Amino acid sequence: MFFSDRTDAGRQLAGLLDRLKGHDVVVLGLPRGGVPVAAEVADALDAPLDICLVRKLGVPRQPELAMGALGEGGVRVLNERVLRESGVTERDLAEVERREHVELEQRTRRYRGGRPSVPVEGRTVLVVDDGLATGATALAACRVVRAKGAARIVLAVPVAPRGWTARLGGEADETVSVHAPERFFAIGQFYRDFSQTADAEVVACLDRNRAAHDPVVQDSDVRIPTAAGVTLAGRLAVPEGALGIVLFAHGSGSGRHSPRNRAVAAALNRAGLGTLLFDLLTEAEAVDRAHVFDTPLLAGRLTDATEWLAGRPESEGLPLGYFGASTGAAAALWAAGDPASPVTAVVSRGGRPDLAADRLARVRAPTLLVVGGRDTPVLDLNRRAGSLLRCESRLAVVDGATHLFEEPGALEEVAKLATSWFSGHFRGQ
């Protein structure tokens, strides 16, 4: 036995990875057993810790033998040799996949608790498990991370069979193991304590790391003057070392207290992005429903707020972005279509881009259109709007979501998409 338990294995593995300390590294543990190992590595490197959700597809009568794996984002890996030798039928495989898809979704909710994943785009990602046997889950994890835009992938495990790197087919840029013994039957043979890791332990590891790495956010109530002479109320939140600041354009008459936009803003803050939530209309103006659809008026207020924010010390040298919801998305796109607009990126949630149709071709900032899959009328409007945009753009459909993204996990997916879009484009500035 090489390790007393997973904590010991993590500490030994961390000793081989010290050279990565100080680099832009994200550590991803494979639940469940890989997370306590990864937690020790993340602590040693002073790096953020997250999970990479993958599920082994076990042979029906030998569940510990992997015939493949599933990963986030629809990644699927099959071991043709195991499938052939075990005699698994297509029906057997489909049933195992169905069951593991359900478990994958449940674990996403259980472990992340509504928080978006740590952004990995353009970063070095250290994928960690408690050991490697067939390599199916590690292969799936590498493909998941690659699809998310990682610049470099390092796969690290405490123990793996001799010649294990050949099983990965080059999916990892680098591989690290503490031990690679010739006689290898199962990962557990190398641990004194290889008892099952509980869900509570996975969550505790993630919570401890998040508490240590969540940025300190300075937030304050602000008053924003406009060209029309009215003053708008807002809330400015800027994390320490922010990548940029996102201004929220609310829709349908809602304001800075919108629970959905506040939830997205909180997720952006945790990811190191500043936010400005403010009322586009005064209380007196909001009584007149015509103002809700007055796109030039709303866009003008957004432009005023952008100019005000650009003059604040908190935003000095930082890129700015717009997050628009419903009719507020039209205001965001209208304002972004101004040739003098300084915005770097735009995200629309359930937006009405048709209300800014005349300005869409002028937008230069990369634009992400996020729409619920069951919000059919708005989805059609966004598809047409996408054809009018001349900038970098993407339409992201959240399966099963309606207009307000009230379904379980829907708003969290919006936050995840927005975080990735803003972080990626802000880093490019």
Side-chain angles (χ1 to χ4, degrees), residues 99-119:
R99 187 170 63 246
E100 296 303 339
H101 268 301
V102 172
E103 183 64 23
L104 197 62
E105 293 173 0
Q106 290 177 343
R107 289 196 177 194
T108 299
R109 293 191 291 270
R110 193 180 308 149
Y111 298 150
R112 291 219 167 97
R115 298 175 65 118
S117 55
V118 175

Side-chain angles (χ1 to χ4, degrees), residues 23-28 38 42-43 45-50 118-119 123 126 209-210 213:
H23 295 267
D24 189 15
V25 175
V26 177
V27 180
L28 301 183
D43 286 349
L45 300 182
D46 192 26
L49 172 69
D50 201 355
V118 175
R123 308 171 80 175
L126 187 52
N209 183 271
R210 286 166 180 158
H213 288 88

Side-chain angles (χ1 to χ4, degrees), residues 223-224 226 228-233 253-256 278-288 291-292 297-298 301:
R223 308 288 290 176
I224 304 168
T226 69
V230 299
T231 300
L232 307 175
S254 66
R256 68 190 188 281
F278 70 102
D279 300 333
L280 287 167
L281 301 171
T282 65
E283 290 185 8
E285 291 171 333
V287 174
D288 184 352
H291 286 141
V292 173
L297 170 66
L298 301 179
R301 296 288 172 83

